[in-house]
Amino acid sequence: MRDEEHRYDTAPINVGKHLLPEEKKPFSGPFRERRVPRWVYRIIVILALSALAVLAWYNRANLTPENALQWVQGHVVGLGIGDGFPKTISGSSVKPMNFMSADKNIIFASDTALIAYNSTAKELLNQQHSYNSPVLKVNGSRALLYNLGGKSSEVQTIGGSTLKLNTKQNILGGALASNGRCALLTSADGYCGMMTSYTAAGQVLSYYWFSDYYPTAVALNSDGTKAAVTGVSANNGELTSAVYIIDLSSGKTVQPSAVYTGNMLCAVFWDTDSAVAAVGDTGVSFLNPSSNTKTDISYNGSKLTAYCSDSGRLALGLAPYEGSENQKLLVLDKSGSQILSKQINGKIQSVSLLGQTAAALSDGKLYFQSLSSAADSGSVKDAGSDASAVALKDEGSAYVLGISEIRFVNNR
């Protein structure tokens, strides 16, 4: 066979067809890819900026340079891990009213020192004092400690700074605002008492003298520009109490916003701008400084054994009679409406509120109760037979004060 009889296919091989990816063509079917319009992104950005602006407005008191510095210092100091709880306390005694939680830290005043631990029991603050009768007020990263019946007081921060305040007359009460402003009630020659307000730097802002009622307690609004003060007096041999709402910048004398007969007001809270709560031995009163309205709630003969406040709400421990073994945990909102009424077996020694959780300490047992669900029956945890006070760390756990140690109780 001759060579020219062999034929070969010399057509070019389409290499690109088999080895190279085809160029993608625009997909024009019914499920083609759709691009998000640019105006959608603009709306998302505008909404995010609006949300940040709202948060900044509600937290404007905490966004000042001084408060921002305190926040940074507090969180830097709070870094690190401690040995955990239980933690042996310094000093021989801690009063239940001087045991409280703030920013998930536990802060308390013993008879010898002001101390703070973080949630792992790392020490954040340990400031010695020589007060015979220390009283502690906490707001954010600041703590006001004063000597009841004495003339010395101080404002401490978690960052470690100390501001000393000394008065000429004996101290009857005190309050601390979130921006560091504070107020002290003292006795006064020729008057029932007086109030002195201070800036965060310790400079005197104003004085106010009381001529009709002896001041018993004071609370400041969020920016420390106004004060709510409770006072007591006697009228025709009968005990009367009053609540004053005082503008600290006006310099004017005001009349009481409310007067009560037979109810000795012993504490006052101003947690929200629209709610002042005054606690007495026979009932509580909620006042709205903006609308000048008030709501009075009677205990109906029950005895007050414990109380606390959070975000305008009040938690109360009430005994139907002296020595009763069955008591009631009552939680009221800022208008005086009932949020929770729970029967507790035993004497309620201490109560705490935080978020949607209420806690009550009774005879070595810690009762956790949800405020968001009426059907929730709550839970009971062991707190120790020597437990005397509770302070919620968050909605699912709490610090408990024992005779010589602080414990941590988890409800999760």
Side-chain angles (χ1 to χ4, degrees):
M1 184 179 291
R2 294 181 300 178
D3 291 338
E4 53 266 26
E5 293 179 353
H6 296 276
R7 297 183 179 182
Y8 299 91
D9 189 358
T10 59
I13 299 174
N14 190 356
V15 177
K17 178 180 179 181
H18 300 285
L19 300 179
L20 300 178
E22 290 187 10
E23 181 180 354
K24 291 185 178 180
K25 298 179 180 180
F27 184 67
S28 58
F31 301 104
R32 65 180 181 274
E33 181 181 358
R34 298 180 183 270
R35 293 185 177 179
V36 179
R38 291 183 178 180
W39 62 267
V40 174
Y41 293 107
R42 293 193 186 102
I43 291 178
I44 293 174
V45 171
I46 292 172
L47 291 175
L49 292 175
S50 299
L52 289 174
V54 171
L55 288 173
W57 171 256
Y58 279 104
N59 290 278
R60 62 192 182 278
N62 298 319
L63 295 177
T64 62
E66 185 178 42
N67 279 353
L69 178 61
Q70 295 293 349
W71 185 90
V72 171
Q73 289 178 339
H75 280 72
V76 169
V77 172
L79 294 175
I81 299 175
D83 297 330
F85 293 96
K87 182 77 173 182
T88 302
I89 61 176
S90 174
S92 59
S93 67
V94 178
K95 295 180 180 179
M97 68 176 181
N98 289 335
F99 184 80
M100 54 197 71
S101 174
D103 296 333
K104 297 188 177 182
N105 302 321
I106 185 64
I107 305 172
F108 61 96
S110 72
D111 55 347
T112 60
L114 172 62
I115 302 170
Y117 297 121
N118 70 8
S119 58
T120 67
K122 178 193 173 184
E123 185 178 280
L124 307 179
L125 175 68
N126 192 331
Q127 183 69 32
Q128 301 296 306
H129 69 77
S130 58
Y131 300 162
N132 295 325
S133 184
V135 177
L136 177 63
K137 305 289 182 179
V138 175
N139 201 325
S141 62
R142 293 180 173 90
L144 168 67
L145 185 69
Y146 60 87
N147 190 16
L148 184 65
K151 299 178 181 179
S152 300
S153 64
E154 59 196 65
V155 177
Q156 295 282 346
T157 66
I158 298 299
S161 63
T162 303
L163 174 65
K164 298 283 189 179
L165 298 172
N166 294 314
T167 60
K168 295 181 180 180
Q169 301 281 358
N170 293 337
I171 298 173
L172 307 174
L176 179 66
S178 59
N179 61 2
R181 290 189 175 188
C182 63
L184 293 173
L185 300 175
T186 63
S187 54
D189 295 335
Y191 292 89
C192 295
M194 69 176 291
M195 175 176 61
T196 307
S197 63
Y198 303 86
T199 66
Q203 298 174 334
V204 174
L205 272 173
S206 65
Y207 298 102
Y208 189 93
W209 285 267
F210 299 91
S211 57
D212 297 321
Y213 292 85
Y214 293 89
T216 57
V218 57
L220 296 175
N221 65 347
S222 60
D223 58 5
T225 58
K226 296 181 180 180
V229 180
T230 58
V232 297
S233 186
N235 185 16
N236 296 323
E238 190 171 22
L239 175 72
T240 60
S241 294
V243 180
Y244 292 85
I245 303 297
I246 302 171
D247 186 341
L248 298 178
S249 62
S250 70
K252 298 179 180 179
T253 301
V254 299
Q255 295 298 313
S257 297
V259 176
Y260 308 90
T261 300
N263 186 18
M264 182 174 180
L265 299 178
C266 55
V268 63
F269 303 96
W270 199 339
D271 297 333
T272 65
D273 290 338
S274 61
V276 170
V279 181
D281 61 347
T282 64
V284 299
S285 183
F286 294 87
L287 295 86
N288 187 325
S290 301
S291 62
N292 293 321
T293 58
K294 68 182 182 74
T295 302
D296 300 328
I297 306 295
S298 173
Y299 303 151
N300 296 318
S302 294
K303 305 297 182 182
L304 180 68
T305 62
Y307 60 86
C308 76
S309 174
D310 175 69
S311 302
R313 304 164 302 171
L314 275 179
L316 306 169
L318 298 173
Y321 54 87
E322 194 71 34
S324 172
E325 293 299 324
N326 294 300
Q327 296 194 7
K328 180 169 64 175
L329 170 62
L330 180 65
V331 180
L332 305 172
D333 67 14
K334 64 182 182 180
S335 65
S337 298
Q338 179 178 295
I339 301 175
L340 171 73
S341 181
K342 173 80 172 182
Q343 290 298 127
I344 302 293
N345 295 325
K347 180 182 178 181
I348 298 178
Q349 302 162 268
S350 176
V351 291
S352 183
L353 275 179
L354 185 64
Q356 293 301 312
T357 300
L361 179 67
S362 175
D363 296 339
K365 300 294 182 181
L366 186 56
Y367 294 79
F368 288 92
Q369 186 67 45
S370 172
L371 301 179
S372 59
S373 175
D376 189 344
S377 60
S379 62
V380 183
K381 302 294 182 180
D382 183 32
S385 59
D386 62 339
S388 61
V390 58
L392 283 166
K393 168 184 170 284
D394 51 37
E395 294 185 352
S397 58
Y399 299 105
V400 172
L401 174 65
I403 291 178
S404 60
E405 67 179 15
I406 296 172
R407 307 182 191 104
F408 185 74
V409 179
N410 201 330
N411 189 40
R412 295 185 177 92

